Amino acid sequence: MYDSLPSIDVSSLQERVYQSLRQALLTGHFQPGEPISIRKLADSLGTSPMPVREALKRLMAEKVLVQSSNRQIRVTPFDPKLHEEFVRIRMEIEGYAAERAARIHDAGLVDRLREIDAGMVEAAGQSRTAAALAANQAFHFEIYRAAGYPQLVDMIENLWLRTGPFLGTIGRTPVNLATFFGNGHHFHGRAMAAIAARDGRKARRAIALDIRTGTMFLRKVYDPQGTARAVNGGPATPAAGPGSA
């Protein structure tokens, strides 16, 4: 009789809130320096402030969020030197993951990647920034999981957690989304071709170049002081300030 009872999800509310916020940071939902409101997050997530507060403490311990002297919690501000360090490390370990994935036979990997990449291009063409960013993340992690090293995936995810907010600034800068994600589509294509050919060296290079090119493109228009510089020397455009919708 007891065997027929439905199983219960034993994950705590705090853990679910933490994972939800973590995913939002991974996909660029919040920007560097943006203030975090516990009350607004609780309302948005449909929970009380307590699990939100505990989840934010974990994210502060991971250095994704910081707390100022007046107890205001913010996304960690953009630091060009630190960001460059993260990018160089990402190029190395994500390139390694792609190289390993290319050398491990996964018959359905390339087909899954093509579908995800097509969704990214479609979302970018429709100016659905959040969907395009989520698809880009899904593309990369589909490769990294195929490498077969769970600990490596955890390391990569932690680095994405620190750089995701910067990537999210693309939604509030004068960037042509089709161009930005078109560059990503180009390198995704090279990665898929390398994986199909089981060429680890080329897969590694394609992913490393995708990371570097996307970062350089976005840093041309990002100004941590609050203004976004137009591409090709055009007039500066005011960027959305921290906490804006």
Side-chain angles (χ1 to χ4, degrees), residues 8 26 98 110 122 130:
I8 297 174
L26 278 169
V110 174
E122 179 182 5

Side-chain angles (χ1 to χ4, degrees), residues 2 21 63 91 109 153 167 177 181 243:
Y2 294 105
L21 294 177
K63 300 182 180 180
M91 290 172 67
L109 177 58
V153 175
L167 186 60
L177 293 181
F181 287 104

Side-chain angles (χ1 to χ4, degrees), residues 162-240:
R162 300 292 298 274
T163 57
F166 175 74
L167 186 60
T169 62
I170 190 173
R172 307 180 199 183
T173 55
V175 175
N176 185 302
L177 293 181
T179 299
F180 179 82
F181 287 104
N183 290 339
H185 170 65
H186 169 74
F187 289 111
H188 288 181
R190 289 175 58 173
M192 288 187 285
I195 291 170
R198 303 185 72 175
D199 189 327
R201 183 182 62 82
K202 288 186 178 180
R204 180 175 192 143
R205 180 169 175 78
I207 290 299
L209 285 173
D210 184 26
I211 295 168
R212 169 55 67 186
T213 302
T215 298
M216 291 178 65
F217 187 98
L218 192 51
R219 285 184 69 163
K220 287 180 180 178
V221 297
Y222 177 68
D223 183 347
Q225 300 305 316
T227 57
R229 298 183 294 275
V231 183
N232 297 327
T237 303

Side-chain angles (χ1 to χ4, degrees), residues 97-149:
E99 179 178 354
R100 180 173 168 80
R103 293 174 177 172
I104 295 177
H105 182 63
D106 181 341
L109 177 58
V110 174
D111 287 339
R112 296 195 302 272
L113 292 173
R114 286 197 184 103
E115 183 177 355
I116 296 169
D117 184 65
M120 183 193 76
V121 173
E122 179 182 5
Q126 297 171 351
S127 297
R128 294 187 290 119
T129 309
L133 286 172
N136 178 66
Q137 184 211 13
F139 180 92
H140 281 261
F141 278 87
E142 192 71 28
I143 295 174
Y144 305 153
R145 284 190 294 269
Y149 279 175

Side-chain angles (χ1 to χ4, degrees), residues 2 17 28 30 41-42 45 47 63 68 91 123 138 149 152 159 192 213 218 235 239 245:
Y2 294 105
V17 169
F30 298 101
L41 282 178
L45 295 170
T47 185
K63 300 182 180 180
S68 61
M91 290 172 67
Y149 279 175
L152 178 62
L159 285 168
M192 288 187 285
T213 302
L218 192 51

Side-chain angles (χ1 to χ4, degrees), residues 19-31:
Q19 292 297 337
S20 179
L21 294 177
R22 185 180 174 91
Q23 183 62 27
L25 287 157
L26 278 169
T27 53
H29 186 81
F30 298 101
Q31 294 200 37

